[in-house]
Amino acid sequence: MSGVMSEWWTYRAEDFLLFSPRVYWRLIELHNQALWPWQLLALLLGVLILASMLRPRPWSDRLIAALLAAAWVFVAWNFLWQHYATINWAMVYVVPLFVLQALLLVGIGTLKGDLSMPARWSIPRILGIALFLHALLLHPLLPAYAGRSISTAEVFGIFPDPLAIATLGMLTAAIPRHRAWPLLVIPGLWCLLSWLTLDTMEVRGAWVPLLAVVAAIAGRLWPRAR
Amino acid sequence: MHSHGKLSRRTVLQGMLLAAAASALPPLDTLAQEEKPGTRPIPSTGERLPAVGLGSWITFNVGNDPVLLAECTAVMEHFFQGGGRMIDSSPMYGSSQATIGHGLRQLGAVDQVFSTDKVWTSDADSGPAQIEESRAEWGVPRFDLLQVHNLVAWQAHLKTLFEMKEAGEVRYVGITTSHGRRHDRFERIMRNEPLDFVQLTYNVVDREAEQRLLPLARERGIGVIVNRPFQQGRLTERLASEPLPAWAEEVGAESWAQFILKFIISHPAVTCAIPATTRVDHVRENMAAIGPPLPDDAMRQRMAAYVRDL
């Protein structure tokens, strides 16, 4: 047992990275090329969700959960399974978790209608909308900050990082908070995995998914207004 | 100037000397097998292998990207042109096996490669199925060498591999480790199992294998494949800012990569080092390192001390 424990201490994050940064970013780039111009539709759906978060309607809460669930299934099948899994066999184990996240969103958010977007401003709502705004508008611009081609932009609804951050944003703003907690687990874990991957590849801005998790947890733990 | 049809005394003497020398030499086919520069014998059979092979960890995991697949094929092409034969992979390495298979098909090089792969699953029963999947990815009729990757479920997998060898479904059997891990267990298996090969990490700074494993490999007649010769590029990157010592030319090293490779393959227990690369210029540089001159033991100590003191 002690041998096993001492052996684990000898591993470093890069020992688990199966591919080079060049291969990873070319995968993103080729995926963008293959899907263009569907990124625009994905962005439009994201804008629809954001508008529904800002001005909730009686029907919009269930719609938000349904759209996000559809995005989790699409990203799991189209990106993780068909493309990312070709260079990262661990994605075979991640895909079922993405499908589970979609089922949770549909079950709790769409069918039961247990997640609501608050109309009043609060710290969790501000943090949640900020996270969603980042996922929708700023995250695709990260390549410019990281010194990469914009063709490696990761767009909401197409790639897992902005989808997970957007979902964290929705769940940070949602009420009641105890209904949101179970749905935070999978997007939170994905963001941590992504942070480790990007950090191991020494990508500038690797901290973004980690910061999203911290912001979501802070928002959910923020004391209720009296 | 001699005219045709006339023999001078010098010519006759030269002919006699050549005839005498030729009678002392082994037949030509044996000569080609035994003395081809840069090759090493596999201890269990005497079959000779070029001392530099090609790894595929990370470098060949390129998915379906056509540009990167073509680059890997070019690396393989220059590897074979440089006299290389052993290519090593594992089911753990993402799409690397499929990339190798793609390259072999493109180059028509199935007969040239010394195919080296691994079995890597904790489920002992699924070992044969995994090996068959790997073989299909490579597109080879059978593997030359199969190894138990990182000693995962090694008892069951070794049993499978020895049975396959007995049935002629694989030519050689081995075990692997890396990063200096599990050397105690590795040593026990080396002592007790009839292995053809072991694969381990060894280079000019990671020298723990010199203490027990390399001498044991010589004693037991086990071939040694050396992985991570450049510490996945970290070692050569670190040394890049340092000048090669002037005496590096005495061992024929024109770069740090050649300096390190010559250090590794000059160890008498080492059969083959398997650097991985995505670059044609690097594979050519690596293959050029297999030729003479190679350092003797005193020079090897000097090389290690020089790098240690940088």
Side-chain angles (χ1 to χ4, degrees):
Chain A
M1 185 65 180
S2 63
V4 173
M5 291 305 288
S6 62
E7 186 178 293
W8 273 104
W9 285 111
T10 67
Y11 284 90
R12 295 191 287 189
E14 59 254 43
D15 295 333
F16 298 96
L17 191 66
L18 299 169
F19 44 81
S20 68
R22 182 174 177 232
V23 169
Y24 181 77
W25 294 119
R26 276 192 58 85
L27 184 84
I28 304 280
E29 189 176 350
L30 292 179
H31 192 54
N32 268 330
Q33 286 174 11
L35 282 183
W36 181 257
W38 291 102
Q39 289 88 340
L40 299 178
L41 177 67
L43 282 173
L44 274 176
L45 292 175
V47 169
L48 177 64
I49 295 174
L50 181 65
S52 301
M53 288 173 69
L54 288 168
R55 299 192 63 181
R57 301 280 196 278
W59 46 266
S60 62
D61 294 338
R62 292 173 189 264
L63 178 68
I64 290 172
L67 287 175
L68 284 175
W72 278 84
V73 171
F74 177 74
V75 170
W77 167 72
N78 185 249
F79 180 68
L80 297 187
W81 184 262
Q82 292 199 312
H83 292 91
Y84 196 18
T86 62
I87 62 167
N88 188 349
W89 46 261
M91 289 306 109
V92 171
Y93 304 100
V94 173
V95 164
L97 294 177
F98 270 52
V99 174
L100 175 62
Q101 178 69 17
L103 291 174
L104 288 171
L105 282 164
V106 168
I108 297 174
T110 306
L111 298 179
K112 292 183 77 174
D114 279 350
L115 290 172
S116 301
M117 291 299 115
R120 291 175 56 188
W121 285 102
S122 63
I123 295 296
R125 189 181 186 220
I126 291 169
L127 280 171
I129 287 173
L131 281 172
F132 203 97
L133 265 173
H134 165 86
L136 199 61
L137 302 177
L138 292 184
H139 204 85
L141 302 178
L142 276 180
Y145 170 71
R148 296 191 312 272
S149 162
I150 199 67
S151 60
T152 61
E154 292 170 85
V155 176
F156 165 82
I158 306 292
F159 291 100
D161 283 14
L163 174 62
I165 293 171
T167 306
L168 287 178
M170 185 277 278
L171 295 168
T172 302
I175 52 175
R177 69 170 77 187
H178 70 276
R179 294 287 183 199
W181 274 115
L183 283 85
L184 283 164
V185 174
I186 291 172
L189 287 175
W190 174 265
C191 284
L192 293 178
L193 180 66
S194 182
W195 162 61
L196 283 172
T197 304
L198 297 172
D199 189 62
T200 305
M201 292 197 295
E202 298 179 349
V203 175
R204 195 173 181 214
W207 44 268
V208 167
L210 177 65
L211 186 63
V213 174
V214 172
I217 293 174
R220 288 290 59 173
L221 293 176
W222 198 269
R224 282 173 222 249
R226 292 179 185 278
Chain B
M1 179 71 75
H2 304 293
S3 61
H4 292 292
K6 285 189 177 179
L7 290 173
S8 70
R9 191 168 57 185
R10 178 183 289 179
T11 308
V12 171
L13 278 173
Q14 282 175 341
M16 289 170 67
L17 282 171
L18 278 172
S23 66
L25 289 173
L28 276 178
D29 57 340
T30 311
L31 192 70
Q33 174 77 354
E34 290 183 359
E35 295 189 8
K36 195 170 177 183
T39 62
R40 302 284 183 279
I42 298 170
S44 60
T45 62
E47 177 184 359
R48 296 192 77 88
L49 267 181
V52 173
L54 186 63
S56 62
W57 167 240
I58 292 185
T59 51
F60 276 22
N61 183 19
V62 298
N64 301 319
D65 190 321
V67 171
L68 301 182
L69 281 170
E71 287 182 8
C72 292
T73 302
V75 165
M76 289 172 63
E77 182 180 11
H78 284 81
F79 171 70
F80 289 128
Q81 282 175 3
R85 286 194 63 209
M86 177 185 283
I87 300 181
D88 176 78
S89 193
S90 167
M92 182 196 170
Y93 298 174
S95 69
S96 293
Q97 295 172 318
T99 301
I100 294 166
H102 172 86
L104 292 176
R105 281 194 304 279
Q106 294 287 313
L107 300 169
V110 169
D111 294 337
Q112 281 177 268
V113 71
F114 187 94
S115 50
T116 303
D117 210 285
K118 308 183 186 82
V119 56
W120 178 68
T121 169
S122 55
D123 176 11
D125 293 338
S126 60
Q130 186 185 68
I131 290 167
E132 177 52 26
E133 281 178 31
S134 299
R135 190 202 61 74
E137 295 281 17
W138 278 67
V140 293
R142 65 173 178 174
F143 283 115
D144 291 299
L145 166 61
L146 280 170
Q147 308 152 101
V148 181
H149 191 149
N150 285 348
L151 304 185
V152 175
W154 66 269
Q155 284 155 312
H157 290 321
L158 268 188
K159 183 172 178 289
T160 301
L161 297 186
F162 286 133
E163 286 170 1
M164 288 179 68
K165 185 180 173 185
E166 187 72 25
E169 294 165 3
V170 64
R171 297 172 62 216
Y172 298 102
V173 172
I175 55 174
T176 79
T177 187
S178 65
H179 302 74
R181 298 181 185 120
R182 315 172 193 90
H183 278 194
D184 288 343
R185 211 180 332 156
F186 211 74
E187 183 181 347
R188 283 198 298 276
I189 300 169
M190 286 174 71
R191 287 191 185 282
N192 296 317
E193 302 289 344
L195 300 171
D196 298 300
F197 278 98
V198 291
Q199 184 180 138
L200 46 79
T201 297
Y202 175 59
N203 58 55
V204 72
V205 292
D206 297 317
R207 299 176 59 198
E208 189 191 331
E210 285 178 357
Q211 301 304 311
R212 291 175 298 155
L213 298 187
L214 293 178
L216 180 60
R218 288 193 80 187
E219 179 190 323
R220 297 270 298 153
I222 300 172
V224 175
I225 301 167
V226 172
N227 59 35
R228 298 177 58 82
F230 306 140
Q231 293 184 327
Q232 206 177 313
R234 277 203 304 277
L235 181 56
T236 39
E237 279 170 25
R238 177 166 75 83
L239 295 173
S241 58
E242 304 287 349
L244 265 179
W247 44 264
E249 65 185 30
E250 292 176 35
V251 294
E254 297 175 355
S255 66
W256 278 115
Q258 291 186 344
F259 184 96
I260 296 164
L261 282 176
K262 280 175 177 286
F263 174 85
I264 294 168
I265 65 176
S266 60
H267 191 289
V270 170
T271 312
C272 186
I274 47 169
T277 181
T278 57
R279 288 174 49 172
V280 164
D281 58 334
H282 283 176
V283 81
R284 293 170 74 165
E285 183 182 20
N286 294 344
M287 297 315 294
I290 67 176
L294 289 176
D296 59 15
D297 189 55
M299 180 60 92
R300 297 183 79 255
Q301 300 307 322
R302 189 180 184 189
M303 294 165 87
Y306 183 83
V307 172
R308 187 188 61 227
D309 295 340
L310 283 174

